[in-house]
Amino acid sequence: MTVGEGFLRSDGAPARTRSGRRLDPARDRAIAAAVLEVLGREGYAGLTMDAVALAAGVGKATIYRRWSSKAELLLGVLDGSVEDDLPVPDTGDLREDLVALLTTTLELMDGPSGRATRSLLAAVVGDPALAEAYRRGPLASWGRAWATVLDRAVCRGEISAEAAASAAAEVGPAVLTVRWLVTGGPLDADVVTELVDGAMMPLLRAR
């Protein structure tokens, strides 16, 4: 999986606090959503405990009772996403599943979680603890979604197990990620169709 392929999500409460336990899941979910909002709007440099408290509608003391720093807060949010697997399409057809999953990828890239993830990536690369939490959380969730789609296709006899484990399976998300993070190339439904029909399906069936 490519680094940009995993996205922060706002629907899970942070898993880690200073005490090692959740104090109020509903409030913690609001704080997690606030982290994404501030990251997406202000970037990592603008992510402060004050800004998160304001966006979440809680007192700053509430934040500090749970996390002593923004790094610790981010670790909690990233670890919280481990528990929240993405919904996996199951149309009964590999092509349609790939189109659906890549379309979801585009929607996330263009939404609040995509903007927050883009802001976070520089910090993830430079911080081993955050990088490991990112792998355990968002990247692992995306990895499970893709593995499920491909494993189902193998069970249906659409592709081989070798193809499912090959680089051919990474072409679509890799191209979208490069366009999103580097080149600024088009990202739309036509690109998804071209990637699935012109690259992924031919490569997967050829193995």
Side-chain angles (χ1 to χ4, degrees), residues 49-106:
M49 305 295 258
D50 284 346
V52 171
L54 181 63
V58 301
K60 185 168 64 173
T62 298
I63 304 290
Y64 277 107
R65 277 198 299 270
R66 288 159 164 77
W67 306 279
S68 63
S69 67
K70 74 176 184 180
E72 188 175 286
L73 172 57
L74 275 173
L75 283 173
V77 171
L78 288 168
D79 281 342
S81 67
V82 172
E83 302 175 6
D84 299 308
D85 278 343
L86 294 166
V88 181
D90 188 8
T91 67
D93 178 79
L94 175 59
R95 180 196 178 276
E96 297 305 315
D97 285 349
L98 292 176
V99 168
L101 205 47
L102 287 178
T103 299
T104 297
T105 302
L106 286 188

Side-chain angles (χ1 to χ4, degrees), residues 4-8 36 40-41 101-119 142 176-177 179-181 184-189 192:
E5 195 182 332
F7 295 86
L8 289 168
L36 265 69
R41 186 179 68 240
L101 205 47
L102 287 178
T103 299
T104 297
T105 302
L106 286 188
E107 292 169 352
L108 289 171
M109 287 176 171
D110 193 42
S113 65
R115 291 190 291 273
T117 299
R118 186 193 293 271
S119 297
W142 274 99
L176 294 187
T177 299
R179 291 191 177 197
W180 177 54
L181 291 177
L187 290 171
D188 54 29
V192 168

Side-chain angles (χ1 to χ4, degrees), residues 2 15 66 70-71 82 87 92 95 119 126 130-131 133 137 142 146 150 158 165 197 199 206-207:
T2 54
R66 288 159 164 77
K70 74 176 184 180
V82 172
R95 180 196 178 276
S119 297
L130 284 177
W142 274 99
W146 280 95
L150 294 167
E158 292 183 86
D197 292 340
R207 299 186 67 91

Side-chain angles (χ1 to χ4, degrees), residues 129-190:
L130 284 177
E132 176 56 29
Y134 190 73
R135 283 190 290 269
R136 286 195 308 266
L139 283 179
S141 179
W142 274 99
R144 286 189 292 272
W146 280 95
T148 298
V149 164
L150 294 167
D151 288 347
R152 287 172 179 164
V154 171
C155 291
R156 291 192 299 262
E158 292 183 86
I159 60 173
S160 68
E162 179 187 8
S166 72
E170 300 181 27
V171 170
V175 170
L176 294 187
T177 299
V178 169
R179 291 191 177 197
W180 177 54
L181 291 177
V182 182
T183 69
L187 290 171
D188 54 29
D190 290 341

